[in-house]
Amino acid sequence: MPSYKAPLRDTRFLMNEVFDFESHYKTLPNGEEATPDMVEAILSEMAKLCENTVAPLYQSGDEEGCRLENGQVFTPKGYPEAYNEFVAGGWQGLSHPVEYGGQGLPMSLGLIKHEMLGTANWSFAMYPGLSLGAMNTIQMHGTDEQKETYLTKLTEGTWAGTMCLTEPQCGTDLGQVKTKAEPQDGGAYKITGTKIFISSGDHDLTENIVHIVLARLPDAPAGTRGISLFIVPKYLPGQIGEDNGVSCGALEKKMGIKASATCVMNFDQATGFLIGPPNQGLECMFTFMNSARVGTAIQGVAHAERAYQASLPYAKERRSMRALSGKKDPEQVADALIHHGDVRRMLLKQKAYAEGGRAMAYFTAMYADHMIAGMLENDQKKYDKWDSELGFLTPILKGFLTEKGLEAANEAMQVFGGHGYIKEHGIEQIARDARIATLYEGTTGIQALDLLGRKVLLTSRGKCVRSFSRNLVDFGRQNLKDARLRPYAWKLLKIAAEWNYLTTRIMLAATKDRDIVSTASYDYLMYSGYAMMAYFWALQAATARDKLENGGNEPAEFYKAKLATAEFYFDRLLPAAKGHADAALKPTRSTMQMNAEHFSFDYE
Ligand SMILES: Cc1cc2nc3c(=O)[nH]c(=O)nc-3n(C[C@H](O)[C@H](O)[C@H](O)COP(=O)(O)OP(=O)(O)OC[C@H]3O[C@@H](n4cnc5c(N)ncnc54)[C@H](O)[C@@H]3O)c2cc1C
């Protein structure tokens, strides 16, 4: 597999030319330090770490995997050293409070850092990534003492964190959680239960691991209203090395991300501490859920990018037959794959999803910055406003981008032909690694239900779609008179109308038939993803057009390639949205009419 190269040109194009992060940072209470020089230093230093230290472990980590020996999990060769380098660089606390040792920079920089790290090696990025979930939870709901005890070490990266939700009987429906928490004298609790599929549940990268665990207090109400949240450290503070009843029972054998330890975690009378109010564990858990989901959405971008970086050079090197329009490499025995229309389709799809997805993620990251600004300014109204704006974008990003990342990885494998299916080129690893992104942190189906059922219908009665689609309308109106941007302007105006129409039709249908919320949800989510990505490709095209005429930071060919990719997206990928809209509007009958017993007559 070719080595990883951080796509810094694209990152700079988005940050400096499309979105103007410099001005954005000036509006934030924690944006003062995020000067262009500082941002540039972060990007280039992170790129070095990713290219030179983290990416080279991608394939070897997959081959070696993690191992469990005498109750201790060991990560693959090179991981502890790479992690130490990451910690020594102060990367874990980049966007976390200065008072706990972080650098206090805006969250968007943390997400961009995560994108680079994850594209270089997603399994590696999982270890610091899961810690961020624990850090955010403690920061938001912990007592001062809990913050003091845990946040400093977590921000440093010398301790790591996990999120322990899933149990054998439940992943999506956490109302079924059975893990028990019994109060002890002195305010602590004894936690007993088994959690499965816990990422980074145990490993050899840090001296301690802080588990955030969902459990039930005695006499807690049944279902989601009876779940509380606990901090359960592997070793109690001040007692490093002394057993606290937390152990890894097994490592899951799995399809991909093999260098990420996915653990069965046993809590056997482990001492834990309540975090947040009793029985409100799920609510507490869901704070920052939006930013966590953006973090997973980035996995889609990461795999599309990595897949493209692998398949592009192959398509330029490998030769097969002649291009239909005549010889392109006449001195060679055959033309390179890249000259064939169908191969170009596969390459451009990967490029369009990687760069379109990156634009969606960076824009959303700016919303996350505003949300954090609300928190830092103690402005609850501001926090809620941006959290709610984020709440609409995140299921679309998580659902759509992870599905498209997987599609891109499969297309990359196709570019390699049979050579993609065997291990040698490493492309099959990207496809295996990409698969999980559509499953954890809420499956695509659950993102779709969250989007349509909760965010669009229940909470806002379509207002969130009306509000976001105004961006498309504004772009359409502003650019209708510009002959070169008119096709995009028309299309966006049409999509804005169609998206709202689709929403209203489903809303009306749902008053008579509630099943439509579930039967239509996947297609609605995919439609929304295509519509949103169209807006971000139009924005990139408009910027590229402007820079071509008025001069920009990149060479003209860069901007021309942007325009060509935007055109490809609108011509060749966006039409899929129409199919999703048609399917979403179909009555539930064709999906729901068959009796569950009649799905097969040959087997149960
Ligand atoms: C590698 C890996 C790492 C993971 N890391 C963690 C971790 O760190 N911490 C953690 O707590 N968990 C983790 N998980 C668990 C993961 O989050 C769950 O597997 C996921 O949430 C889905 O839950 P489930 O597997 O129980 O599937 P189920 O909930 O049983 O769902 C099965 C299928 O039914 C669908 N479905 C369920 N309910 C509905 C509904 N009401 N309407 C429509 N469709 C529905 C789902 O979309 C899905 O397609 C990890 C899993 C894996 C494989």
Side-chain angles (χ1 to χ4, degrees), residues 8 47-48 126 185 243 282 354 363 448 471 513 553 558 585:
L8 289 180
K48 271 190 225 155
M126 294 276 289
D185 293 340
D243 185 11
L282 271 191
F363 176 85
N471 291 314
D513 182 356
N553 300 330
F558 176 89
L585 285 175

Side-chain angles (χ1 to χ4, degrees), residues 34 62 71 85 101-102 119 228 274 277 306 318 371 389 398 403 408 458-459 472 503 507 514 523 534 555 567 592 594:
D62 177 67
E85 207 177 318
T119 312
S228 306
L274 184 69
R306 197 75 210 257
R318 174 92 173 165
M371 181 190 82
E389 300 268 2
K398 162 64 172 79
E403 291 288 343
L458 204 64
T459 329
L472 281 66
T503 306
M507 195 149 47
R514 292 178 70 165
D523 285 301
E567 193 175 332
M592 303 305 287
M594 204 190 302

Side-chain angles (χ1 to χ4, degrees), residues 186-355:
Y189 293 80
K190 289 284 177 203
I191 311 292
T192 304
T194 296
K195 297 282 175 181
I196 62 165
F197 299 168
I198 303 309
S199 301
S200 320
D202 194 49
H203 52 76
D204 56 351
L205 303 182
T206 55
E207 62 177 34
N208 200 4
I209 301 175
V210 181
H211 303 283
I212 305 288
V213 182
L214 285 183
R216 279 184 189 286
L217 292 165
D219 307 322
T224 50
R225 296 217 177 94
I227 295 174
S228 306
L229 203 55
F230 297 86
I231 299 177
V232 189
K234 176 177 178 178
Y235 302 122
L236 289 166
Q239 298 177 31
I240 302 293
E242 287 176 35
D243 185 11
N244 180 34
V246 180
S247 60
C248 173
L251 274 174
E252 306 287 359
K253 293 190 177 63
K254 58 193 193 293
M255 176 181 180
I257 54 163
K258 293 190 180 200
S260 160
T262 310
C263 305
V264 174
M265 294 303 300
N266 296 321
F267 296 90
D268 185 10
Q269 297 269 307
T271 300
F273 309 94
L274 184 69
I275 173 166
N279 299 328
Q280 288 182 34
L282 271 191
E283 286 92 322
C284 294
M285 192 92 199
F286 281 103
T287 0
F288 276 106
M289 188 51 88
N290 287 327
S291 33
R293 285 185 172 165
V294 180
T296 315
I298 282 177
Q299 190 175 356
V301 179
H303 292 309
E305 174 67 37
R306 197 75 210 257
Y308 186 54
Q309 288 198 13
S311 58
L312 178 61
Y314 190 78
K316 287 181 178 172
E317 275 164 36
R318 174 92 173 165
R319 301 187 177 277
S320 175
M321 299 166 68
R322 290 294 179 191
L324 294 180
S325 55
K327 289 182 183 177
K328 299 291 186 261
D329 304 322
E331 69 291 356
Q332 299 287 346
V333 62
D335 286 336
L337 292 177
I338 197 165
H339 297 303
H340 298 300
D342 189 52
V343 176
R344 288 179 155 249
R345 171 190 64 77
M346 295 188 275
L347 292 171
L348 282 166
K349 190 190 260 193
Q350 295 169 58
K351 182 173 167 62
Y353 287 149
E355 295 175 13

Side-chain angles (χ1 to χ4, degrees), residues 388-436:
S388 144
E389 300 268 2
L390 258 182
F392 170 63
L393 299 184
T394 49
I396 302 178
L397 262 73
K398 162 64 172 79
F400 183 73
L401 294 184
T402 59
E403 291 288 343
K404 294 300 146 188
L406 181 59
E407 207 177 309
N410 276 325
E411 292 291 18
M413 190 189 284
Q414 202 70 13
V415 169
F416 277 79
H419 297 270
Y421 193 71
I422 61 165
K423 271 190 171 289
E424 187 186 345
H425 293 281
I427 198 77
E428 53 84 46
Q429 184 192 345
I430 303 177
R432 284 187 286 106
D433 285 358
R435 187 65 187 86
I436 185 62

Side-chain angles (χ1 to χ4, degrees), residues 130 163-166 170-172 196-199 254 257 262 436 439-443 445-446 449 518:
L130 264 294
M163 303 302 275
C164 298
L165 292 70
T166 306
C170 65
T172 302
I196 62 165
F197 299 168
I198 303 309
S199 301
K254 58 193 193 293
I257 54 163
T262 310
I436 185 62
L439 294 165
Y440 57 18
E441 204 65 60
T443 60
I446 293 308
L449 263 188
S518 191

